[in-house]
Amino acid sequence: MSSNTEQWSATLEPVQTHPDPASSPAAEPSTTEPATTEPAAAAGSPAATAPPTSVRPRRGYGALWRGVPLELGFLLLTLPVVVIALSILSTVFFTGVGMIPIFIGLFIVVAALYIARGFGMFELARLTWAGQPKITPPAWQPRGVASTPMRALLGPLINGHYWLYLLHGMIVNFVVGLITWTLTVVWLSVGVGGITYWIWGRFTDNTDDNLWLNRVILDWMLPGNTIRVDPFVGETLMYLAFGIIFLLTLPLVTHLFVRIHQGIAQGMLGAWGSEALRREVADLSASRGAAVAAEDYSLRRLERDIHDGPQQRLVRLQMDLASAERKIDTDPDAARALLEEARGHAHDTLEELRALSRGLVPPILQDRGLVAGLESLAARSTVPVILEMRLDPALRLPSEIERSAYFVAAELLTNAAKHSAATSIRLHATLRQHGDGSTWLDIWVIDNGVGGATPSAGHGLAGLDERLKGLRGILSIESPVGGPTTIGAHIPLGDAGEAATHSVPSA
């Protein structure tokens, strides 16, 4: 796997390939489909940024009850968690602060920051277990910055996220957790104790000397009343009423408390919006640079192709015409032969110019779209190609996406025909809906050749990678020695994705 696809390793499953692609029935699409890849897990891809905030559907009362066991588990365990965190963090941190004058304290403070990070990540995991949306943690290692022992030792001191995690673990989570734990225990105790008082109340002291709460409330509501009710019965009815009220409101209370913890964690333990913006700017800058590099590479290749092909033929054509002009009076037969040869050169030059023009903007791509363009590439291939088109033939995408997808497929098919010694190739194209709502165009070229394909600077695969980066896409390569070779081009469609998804043919 090439280095530029290491970022896919967590989500890119090996594409299931037949030892011989031709073994798939040609009359119908292969049922073995390339694995969908998740482009967002990589640094610099959507998953590296904070997830898009979406409006959560309002939960009904029954759904709130279904979440009560998990929320109670979270809230009841909060007290031991926050007490342990406070004890450890305060001990380590203030020990380090006191020993800073002898320098070793600096490293103890760093240790406290790392411990705070651990408690913070545990809190995020607990919230996820409680059924809350997953919070994206900060990017602890800045992009583009090499990881060194010195950065690992002292980096937390200049990273604001570590200090926020320490503040959360030592103060904020302790105070909030103590309050929510206390109220949860009180609410649960009143609810359960109220509806079961008729059982355990019989074993308490029920003499007339006791202060009966139901009597106090009745005298307060109806001063001077002469109503006489059995004290135990009155107490049981009152406790039952309170128990029912507290139990009916328990799901609302537990959900509110967990949401409070979730909101605090989102603000203190999650990635900052500014970080996502900076990553977005960095991605755009990288894409722009890649697009410029790819365009420069294409122009230099076009210049080289024109110089080595049509230009040389035109020079030869000019020389033949000059020779024919000199001999037209003295040796008409020789002049006629030269003219016929010149006509052949003109025909060959025209064919080469047509081939080069197809490399700029293929007419079939402009007239009939990407699907027809890919079909034409498969038809012209010198190695049999099995087409697996999961796209609507009428699908039209922005011209830059269609053109790049066409060129990538053409280059991959050409490389497979020239270098892989393959006897069969599969060309698979489909649209894929990503988890964040974005739509990606996936094009896979799979051959049964000798494998060993790797990107080299200034050569074909590296140029394809640069071209895709210009569109914020990704090139994934899996080509073990001995084959098969599986290469995928993954292009985000952006604003065009919503319309494109309606063009996906049903399976």
Side-chain angles (χ1 to χ4, degrees):
M1 181 81 67
S2 68
S3 59
N4 65 324
T5 58
E6 290 176 356
Q7 55 187 348
W8 291 68
S9 58
T11 53
L12 176 60
E13 307 234 348
V15 175
Q16 302 295 327
T17 59
H18 299 286
D20 182 359
S23 62
S24 301
E28 54 188 45
S30 169
T31 57
T32 305
E33 182 174 341
T36 56
T37 52
E38 297 294 336
S45 59
T49 65
T53 56
S54 58
V55 179
R56 300 182 68 202
R58 183 174 297 177
R59 300 174 65 183
Y61 185 70
L64 291 177
W65 264 111
R66 287 193 293 273
V68 166
L70 292 176
E71 292 169 350
L72 276 179
F74 173 86
L75 293 169
L76 294 178
L77 289 176
T78 295
L79 183 63
V81 170
V82 298
V83 169
I84 293 173
L86 174 65
S87 303
I88 296 177
L89 289 175
S90 59
T91 300
V92 177
F93 178 72
F94 289 113
T95 299
V97 170
M99 299 180 68
I100 284 180
I102 59 175
F103 190 68
I104 193 175
L106 202 61
F107 299 102
I108 299 178
V109 170
V110 171
L113 294 176
Y114 275 114
I115 296 172
R117 171 180 166 181
F119 277 113
M121 298 301 292
F122 180 63
E123 182 72 7
L124 294 181
R126 288 203 319 127
L127 286 167
T128 303
W129 297 336
Q132 295 301 303
K134 185 176 181 180
I135 298 175
T136 301
W140 300 107
Q141 179 64 30
R143 290 181 57 194
V145 178
S147 179
T148 61
M150 185 59 66
R151 174 167 292 278
L153 285 175
L154 301 179
L157 295 173
I158 58 174
N159 189 326
H161 286 294
Y162 281 94
W163 293 101
L164 273 179
Y165 271 57
L166 182 67
L167 178 64
H168 179 271
M170 283 182 56
I171 300 176
V172 177
N173 203 35
F174 176 78
V175 173
V176 176
L178 185 61
I179 294 173
T180 57
W181 181 87
T182 303
L183 292 177
T184 300
V185 170
V186 169
W187 216 273
L188 185 62
S189 300
V190 173
V192 175
I195 64 173
T196 59
Y197 178 77
W198 63 276
I199 298 175
W200 58 267
R202 300 177 185 276
F203 303 101
T204 60
D205 186 7
N206 293 323
T207 62
D208 291 337
D209 296 334
N210 287 344
L211 179 64
W212 296 98
L213 188 58
N214 73 90
R215 190 71 244 173
V216 173
I217 295 177
L218 189 61
D219 290 342
W220 173 72
M221 296 179 62
L222 301 172
N225 73 87
T226 59
I227 301 174
R228 289 294 175 264
V229 181
D230 181 82
F232 181 74
V233 174
E235 205 76 355
T236 299
L237 292 176
M238 186 198 66
Y239 281 6
L240 180 62
F242 277 113
I244 292 174
I245 292 173
F246 274 68
L247 283 182
L248 288 176
T249 55
L250 180 64
L252 303 175
V253 172
T254 58
H255 186 67
L256 173 64
F257 289 166
V258 174
R259 290 296 294 168
I260 290 174
H261 282 274
Q262 172 80 1
I264 294 173
Q266 181 73 60
M268 300 188 70
L269 306 181
W272 296 333
S274 58
E275 291 180 323
L277 182 60
R278 283 197 296 269
R279 281 193 290 267
E280 185 74 11
V281 171
D283 289 343
L284 290 174
S285 299
S287 298
R288 180 183 176 187
V292 171
E295 189 68 22
D296 179 66
Y297 173 78
S298 298
L299 289 175
R300 285 188 283 107
R301 187 176 66 175
L302 178 61
E303 180 183 9
R304 182 179 66 248
D305 291 343
I306 292 177
H307 178 272
D308 295 342
Q311 182 174 331
Q312 300 300 322
R313 292 188 180 278
L314 288 174
V315 171
R316 176 65 182 275
L317 175 61
Q318 183 183 21
M319 295 173 60
D320 288 345
L321 290 176
S323 300
E325 184 179 9
R326 288 193 299 269
K327 295 182 179 181
I328 196 168
D329 294 328
T330 59
D331 192 351
D333 293 336
R336 186 179 298 108
L338 288 172
L339 289 174
E340 291 177 356
E341 186 178 352
R343 184 176 63 181
H345 287 307
H347 179 270
D348 294 341
T349 301
L350 181 60
E351 290 299 320
E352 287 195 24
L353 288 174
R354 284 175 177 168
L356 290 175
S357 69
R358 283 196 297 268
L360 295 173
V361 182
I364 192 172
L365 201 61
Q366 287 184 314
D367 298 337
R368 298 172 55 191
L370 178 61
V371 174
L374 295 178
E375 290 174 347
S376 70
L377 288 176
R380 295 202 308 266
S381 174
T382 58
V383 177
V385 175
I386 299 173
L387 278 174
E388 296 176 1
M389 293 290 106
R390 306 293 174 86
L391 304 175
D392 188 338
L395 173 67
R396 296 310 303 260
L397 299 173
S399 59
E400 65 274 12
I401 293 179
E402 287 190 338
R403 190 165 57 247
S404 294
Y406 177 89
F407 289 150
V408 168
E411 185 75 15
L412 292 177
L413 289 174
T414 301
N415 286 346
K418 287 184 177 180
H419 308 299
S420 70
T423 59
S424 186
I425 302 173
R426 287 170 55 203
L427 175 59
H428 179 100
T430 187
L431 293 178
R432 172 173 47 85
Q433 195 78 15
H434 184 45
D436 61 3
S438 61
T439 303
W440 289 64
L441 171 65
D442 291 335
I443 295 178
W444 296 89
V445 173
I446 307 165
D447 67 65
N448 63 348
V450 296
T454 56
S456 302
H459 292 81
L461 291 180
L464 295 183
D465 187 40
E466 293 293 330
R467 179 181 286 276
L468 290 175
K469 284 181 180 177
L471 295 173
R472 307 190 68 187
I474 300 175
L475 182 71
S476 59
I477 304 173
E478 178 140 3
S479 183
V481 176
T485 295
T486 301
I487 302 180
H490 315 279
I491 306 174
L493 300 186
D495 295 337
E498 183 176 355
T501 53
H502 299 297
S503 300
V504 181
S506 59

